[in-house]
Amino acid sequence: MLVPEVAAGAASEVDGLREACLAAVGELLGAELLVVVGTGAKAGVWTEGGVGSFHRYGVKRAVRLPSGGVDGPELSPSLTVGAWLLEQAGAQLPTHAVAVPADTAPERLLGLGEGLAELADRVALLVLGDGSARRSVKAPGYLDERAEGWDAAVAAALAAADTKALAALDPVLAAELQVDGRAPWQVLAGAAEGAGLGGELRYEAAPYGVGYFVASWR
């Protein structure tokens, strides 16, 4: 939905979401190293560039990580969206990417985040993940009465930069509510633990029955 060529006629319906994402990304561009974190069918790390495409959605459009060349390993769908956001923001800084499977155990994700934070003196993370896809009867996963409360708790944690709340998210319930963001958020929790960051929630809504949030931690 963020990419106008993919969203087509519905693109204008998420203008506010897209603008919030680009504003958040703009704050990351002064880092020494940027790491894009999202879900993937299998774990993966990209340190020398990567290429993603929207061909699976019928759109002949490809994007690349800023530090990559013409070619590179294929990015997962979530990381492809991250590369698209960086392209839109004109990012030129060194960029790595990490994909984590949605069912990864919290302790592994927290440890991964700690390691990412130590890669450079000024590391920025662009973390991509949706909330519940069960917010309404028209949602991809149909309505689950627990979904709204789950998303509200996540929004509060993102607004407060509450690493402990994100670290405590239940992977079983997340799977039941079709939450794509649980694993990436726990990587963020591990990276930011003890850093004394503050949070700003830039966007919170559930277009098409899927929870979306945009937050900046600084």
Side-chain angles (χ1 to χ4, degrees):
M1 295 305 300
L2 284 175
V3 182
E5 296 98 315
V6 176
S12 63
E13 298 178 25
V14 290
D15 280 347
L17 171 60
R18 191 178 301 110
E19 291 168 4
C21 286
L22 291 172
V25 169
E27 293 194 348
L28 306 177
L29 303 186
E32 181 179 345
L33 173 67
L34 175 64
V35 183
V36 185
V37 181
T39 53
K42 60 181 180 179
V45 178
W46 290 257
T47 59
E48 302 295 333
V51 179
S53 79
F54 298 101
H55 294 176
R56 63 177 61 83
Y57 306 109
V59 176
K60 293 183 178 180
R61 177 80 158 83
V63 291
R64 296 170 177 82
L65 292 175
S67 57
V70 175
D71 298 314
E74 183 177 0
L75 299 168
S76 69
S78 65
L79 298 179
T80 297
V81 173
W84 179 84
L85 287 169
L86 292 172
E87 178 188 87
Q88 298 302 298
Q92 299 294 327
L93 72 167
T95 304
H96 295 173
V98 176
V100 290
D103 60 354
T104 306
E107 57 270 21
R108 293 189 63 185
L109 298 165
L110 296 171
L112 172 60
E114 292 176 9
L116 293 178
E118 296 173 353
L119 290 176
D121 289 336
R122 292 183 295 114
V123 178
L125 266 62
L126 173 57
V127 181
L128 299 113
D130 301 339
S132 175
R134 306 192 65 179
R135 289 283 297 272
S136 74
V137 295
K138 294 184 178 180
Y142 197 69
L143 175 65
D144 188 308
E145 299 291 347
R146 301 170 296 175
E148 185 173 354
W150 167 281
D151 280 354
V154 170
L158 293 173
D162 188 340
T163 57
K164 288 182 170 49
L166 293 183
L169 292 175
D170 180 3
V172 175
L173 181 55
E176 292 175 358
L177 296 178
Q178 298 184 10
V179 175
D180 183 64
R182 190 276 307 179
W185 296 330
Q186 290 185 324
V187 174
L188 169 64
E193 177 63 29
L197 303 179
E200 175 190 359
L201 188 65
R202 294 176 174 270
Y203 181 94
E204 177 191 2
Y208 307 103
V210 180
Y212 288 105
F213 324 99
V214 181
S216 293
W217 290 14
R218 59 179 85 83

